[in-house]
């Protein structure tokens, strides 16, 4: 017992000495081992990206290791991130949404600003815009960009000799032919209500094409879904698709997983969804991947065909971190070509990256290849409304389910949605509301 | 006469038989079917399980799924079982000891503090705890992100309910027992621990069952108060396989099976004690 105590004392003394030695060698601090904590959501792509980046960075900087922690997604995840930021218990680096959810983190008070960092030069401007608060930039992109549009089964298109439609009328004509041939023209999965919004949200490129500056006027309470004909068209298209009877029979109860199955196995020809649905297809139906393609939701004018894109999540460093320098250096790596390559090597190829000069390899899935031309030409893509305007109402999933099920007319739903966003805008304290 | 008697008894027997059959059927539908469903999904491949249909697996891979679930994220599930067990056992022990003492005193000794204490107990039930200030408090006490801090949280959050259970039950124990113990020279703590506490067994069993299920299944509190990779609890491990855009149902259900089985085994083994405890109380009252 007595011996043990002495042992303990010597250990303490030794640690003390070691600490003194450490502080004496201060200039060499960069080489002292550092463990960075890294909080990511539990989606398989996020985990794969984070692990690939951490491993690649540690290879270049052996003194830095990572402790990757997973968190739940959805509303619990949002609360968790806010709680940990408020209590200064956030990990050294964390992954979170860009756009309006990022704004809700009070970034100027909680997150390290990156505005003057040279590594931001290669980050695409459209991404920087969605991690900007009060003129400062706060995050770097992780993972590929993605899009909202129509995923389609190329085998069915080949069999029926159809072409990718550039206008809504062509699209409906294709649907008629597909219906004739006995396939489901459009898969809808209202069991997961978020998936019902895609025909409306993915239509935003067309809204902006027909009604330039809609996002800004919308934010300023000058334009409305119910009164702007171009915006109302988004709801009307959903209504038309329902009225034509092109949905799968169980559309009210089917889930996102059913949608994946229908499009991958050739039960359905179109599935309006986010392009990252190619990841679960590759996981569950690897043989179907070459048969799956993706096109932008068509509008009324074939000359104005473009894609509504979603910007990827971002990595941030909290101000409360004890390893800000190392964490920011890691962000520099993430925003570099090497970081981008590390993610591509880990098989993260569901869409193009928003880092300048980062090329996808040749053998990416067809659905990803279909996105590249849109992403490469800034005239052919536009971020979704939720990235351009902070105004988004919570009832959109329910309203689109109602329109898509014939319970409510498009005009009525658009009017109710305008009321819904009013509350959200007032909560944000926007002017003119 | 005797014939009508026989028919009557036969009818009675038939009615009982039908009643029993219905009870078994209902139990089957409510308890066995979901379990079978989970078992079937856990035996499938990912593509097969994604349809969530009540069908025979095309390919049995229950074992490899279970192994995959246990190995995921560096054997995280085993650590989670350890953490959850420690938290559950420690919190339930604390709850039983503290709540029984408080319930006993509240019921037996009338003082001017009783009103305030009753109010606080009810407030504990009615007012939802605020997360961020609680974390600040834990940080100041250096209990944040520790298992014992989590145990204290669980005790604090569940204490009110346990106190109410105990207080109601103490009322059914005759005061004469306390007085007899006193006459025999028992000190107050001896009166409680040697005379009263053993008589509280039925409600203690109820408490243990109800609270251990609640604490073992708690998701939200560990999520906020016990962050960190090494502090994971079993309910949080389910989220390794479930996210907005991708869910691996075969592994999710394998995990569900693994998480459900330990409490199930405990209850199968201790079933007799649990039932005995409850019925013993019913007779004594």
């Amino acid at each position: 017992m007595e011996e043990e105590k002495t042992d303990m004392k010597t250990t303490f003394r030794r640690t003390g000495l070691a600490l003194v030695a450490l502080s004496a060698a201060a200039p060499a601090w960069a080489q002292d081992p550092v463990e960075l904590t890294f909080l990511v959501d539990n989606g398989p792509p996020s985990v794969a990206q984070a692990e690939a980046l951490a491993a690649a960075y540690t290879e270049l900087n052996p003194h830095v290791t990572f402790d990757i922690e997973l968190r739940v997604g959805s509303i619990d995840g949002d609360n968790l991130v806010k709680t940990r930021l408020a209590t200064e218990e956030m990990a050294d680096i964390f992954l979170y949404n860009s756009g309006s959810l990022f704004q809700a983190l009070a970034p100027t008070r909680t997150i390290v600003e990156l505005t003057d960092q040279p590594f931001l030069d290669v980050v695409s401007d459209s991404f920087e815009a969605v991690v900007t608060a009060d003129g400062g930039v706060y995050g770097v992109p992780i993972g590929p960009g993605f899009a909202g549009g129509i995923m389609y089964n190329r085998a069915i298109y080949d069999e029926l000799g159809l072409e990718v439609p550039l206008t809504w009328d062509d699209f409906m004509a294709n649907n008629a032919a597909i219906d004739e041939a006995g396939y489901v023209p459009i898969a809808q999965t209202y069991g997961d209500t978020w998936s019902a919004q895609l025909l409306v949200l993915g239509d935003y490129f067309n809204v902006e094409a027909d009604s330039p500056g809609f996002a800004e006027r919308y934010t300023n309470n000058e334009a409305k879904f119910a009164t702007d004909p171009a915006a109302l068209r988004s709801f009307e298209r959903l209504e038309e698709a329902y009225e034509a009877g092109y949905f799968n029979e169980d559309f009210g109860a089917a889930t996102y997983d059913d949608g994946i199955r229908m499009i991958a196995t050739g039960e359905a020809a179109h599935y309006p969804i986010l392009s990252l649905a190619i990841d679960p297809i590759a996981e569950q139906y690897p043989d179907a991947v070459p048969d799956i393609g993706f096109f932008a939701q068509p509008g009324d004018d074939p000359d104005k065909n473009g894609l509504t894109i979603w910007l990827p999540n971002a990595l941030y460093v909290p101000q409360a971190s004890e390893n800000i320098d190392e964490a920011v250096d890691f962000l520099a790596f993430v925003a570099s070509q090497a970081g981008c390559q590390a993610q591509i090597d880990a098989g993260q190829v569901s869409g193009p990256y928003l880092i300048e000069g980062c090329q996808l390899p040749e053998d990416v899935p067809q659905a990803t290849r279909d996105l590249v031309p849109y992403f490469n030409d800034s005239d052919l893509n536009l971020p979704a409304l939720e990235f351009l305007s902070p105004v988004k109402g919570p009832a959109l999933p329910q309203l689109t389910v109602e329109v898509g099920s014939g319970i409510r007319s498009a005009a009525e739903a658009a009017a109710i949605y305008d009321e819904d966003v009013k509350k959200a805008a007032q909560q944000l304290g926007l002017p003119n509301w | 006469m005797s014939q009508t008697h026989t028919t009557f008894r036969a009818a009675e027997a038939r009615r009982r038989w039908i009643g029993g059959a219905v009870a078994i059927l209902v139990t089957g539908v409510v308890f066995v079917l979901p379990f079978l469903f989970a078992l079937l999904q856990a035996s499938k491949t990912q593509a097969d399980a994604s349809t969530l249909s009540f069908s025979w697996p095309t390919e049995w891979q229950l074992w490899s799924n279970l192994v995959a679930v246990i190995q995921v994220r560096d054997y995280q599930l085993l650590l989670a079982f350890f953490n959850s067990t420690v938290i559950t056992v420690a919190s339930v022990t604390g709850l039983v000891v503290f709540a029984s003492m408080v319930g006993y005193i509240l019921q037996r000794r009338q003082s001017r503090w009783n009103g305030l204490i009753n109010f606080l107990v009810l407030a504990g039930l009615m007012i939802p705890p605020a997360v961020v200030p609680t974390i600040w408090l834990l940080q100041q006490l250096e209990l944040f992100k520790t298992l014992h801090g989590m145990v204290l949280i669980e005790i604090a959050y569940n204490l009110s309910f346990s106190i109410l259970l105990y207080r109601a039950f103490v009322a059914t124990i005759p005061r004469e027992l306390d007085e007899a113990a006193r006459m025999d020279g028992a000190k107050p703590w001896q009166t409680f621990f040697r005379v009263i506490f053993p008589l509280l067994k039925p409600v203690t069993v109820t408490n243990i069952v109800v609270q251990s299920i609640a604490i073992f299944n708690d998701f939200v509190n560990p999520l906020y108060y016990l962050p960190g990779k090494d502090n994971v609890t079993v309910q949080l491990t389910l989220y390794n396989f479930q996210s907005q855009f991708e869910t691996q149902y075969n592994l999710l259900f394998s995990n569900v099976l693994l998480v459900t089985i330990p409490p199930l085994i405990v209850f199968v083994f201790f079933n007799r004690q649990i039932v005995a405890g409850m019925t013993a109380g019913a007779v004594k009252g």
Side-chain angles (χ1 to χ4, degrees), chain B residues 212-281:
Chain B
S212 55
I213 291 176
I215 294 171
F216 191 80
N217 285 343
D218 193 2
F219 164 71
V220 173
N221 291 323
L223 178 70
Y224 292 124
Y225 298 122
L226 201 58
K229 197 170 70 171
D230 296 333
N231 291 330
V232 66
T233 62
V234 285
Q235 304 306 326
L236 290 170
T237 61
L238 295 176
Y239 281 84
N240 281 334
F241 311 107
Q242 189 182 17
S243 62
Q244 188 179 7
F245 296 113
E246 239 176 302
T247 298
Q248 296 158 292
Y249 284 108
N250 54 341
L251 300 183
L252 180 64
F253 278 105
S254 304
N255 201 345
V256 167
L257 277 190
L258 286 172
V259 170
T260 339
I261 285 173
L264 203 67
I265 291 174
V266 170
F267 284 110
V268 167
F269 271 97
F270 291 97
N271 194 15
R272 193 186 304 177
Q273 279 92 324
I274 293 169
V275 174
M278 288 179 173
T279 45

Side-chain angles (χ1 to χ4, degrees), chain A residues 101-418:
Chain A
L101 282 172
F102 153 76
Q103 300 292 347
L105 296 182
T108 49
R109 278 186 286 130
T110 55
I111 300 174
V112 174
E113 193 179 330
L114 306 170
T115 315
D116 299 325
Q117 300 283 355
F119 60 77
L120 285 180
D121 294 350
V122 290
V123 175
S124 99
D125 292 343
S126 54
F127 182 81
E128 274 186 34
V130 298
V131 288
T132 296
D134 274 346
V137 181
Y138 289 86
V140 298
I142 179 170
F146 50 107
I150 318 279
M151 191 164 264
Y152 71 110
N153 190 302
R154 289 155 47 89
I156 296 180
Y157 263 58
D158 283 347
E159 184 193 323
L160 305 178
L162 299 175
E163 278 186 20
V164 169
L166 292 178
T167 66
W168 182 258
D169 293 338
D170 292 349
F171 178 62
M172 292 305 266
N174 282 359
N175 282 330
I178 292 161
D179 201 18
E180 191 87 351
Y183 298 107
V184 172
I186 304 177
Q188 288 286 277
T189 52
Y190 297 164
D192 285 315
T193 47
W194 64 268
S195 72
Q197 308 170 81
L198 260 294
L199 274 177
V200 172
L201 294 180
D203 196 45
Y204 187 67
F205 183 93
N206 302 320
V207 175
E208 186 76 24
D210 293 342
S211 173
F214 177 79
E216 203 184 331
R217 283 182 286 123
Y218 182 63
T219 310
N220 293 335
N221 199 12
E222 288 157 9
K224 293 275 165 201
F225 268 98
T227 50
D228 188 299
L232 184 59
R233 269 304 274 151
S234 301
F235 282 93
E236 284 170 356
R237 290 193 170 117
L238 177 60
E239 190 177 31
E240 279 171 30
Y242 165 76
E243 280 170 357
Y246 287 152
F247 295 167
N248 43 311
E249 265 176 37
D250 59 347
F251 70 88
T255 60
Y256 173 64
D257 290 299
D258 292 320
I260 298 287
R261 190 198 69 240
M262 284 187 275
I263 194 77
T265 58
E267 271 176 66
H270 300 125
Y271 186 25
I273 202 66
L274 293 171
S275 64
L276 44 72
I278 193 67
D279 275 337
I281 291 178
E283 187 111 336
Q284 294 169 26
Y285 306 95
D287 298 341
V289 171
D291 285 341
I292 306 298
F294 199 89
F295 59 80
Q297 183 167 326
D300 291 327
D301 183 349
D303 295 330
K304 292 185 197 159
N305 184 268
L307 187 66
T308 309
I309 62 168
W310 264 252
L311 294 154
N313 289 326
L315 294 185
Y316 308 96
V317 176
Q319 287 174 6
S321 163
E322 283 165 13
N323 303 303
I324 289 182
D325 293 331
E326 289 86 353
V328 170
D329 192 58
F330 176 67
L331 295 197
F333 173 75
V334 174
S336 71
Q337 281 217 36
C340 175
Q341 193 59 44
Q343 297 177 68
I344 291 173
D345 291 344
Q348 294 301 310
V349 289
S350 61
Y353 281 80
L354 291 134
I355 304 292
E356 208 174 284
C358 182
Q359 291 294 331
L360 288 176
E362 286 298 310
D363 58 348
V364 298
Q366 180 61 41
T368 306
R369 215 174 309 161
D370 289 341
L371 298 178
V372 175
Y374 294 113
F375 270 83
N376 282 349
D377 185 344
S378 61
D379 290 339
L380 294 183
N381 71 66
L382 193 75
L385 183 59
E386 60 203 76
F387 292 106
L388 301 175
S389 165
V391 183
K392 190 176 182 197
L396 188 58
Q398 287 73 24
L399 288 169
T400 46
V401 165
E402 288 182 342
V403 175
S405 316
I407 298 170
R408 210 183 275 286
S409 74
E412 205 184 331
I416 294 177
Y417 185 58
D418 286 332

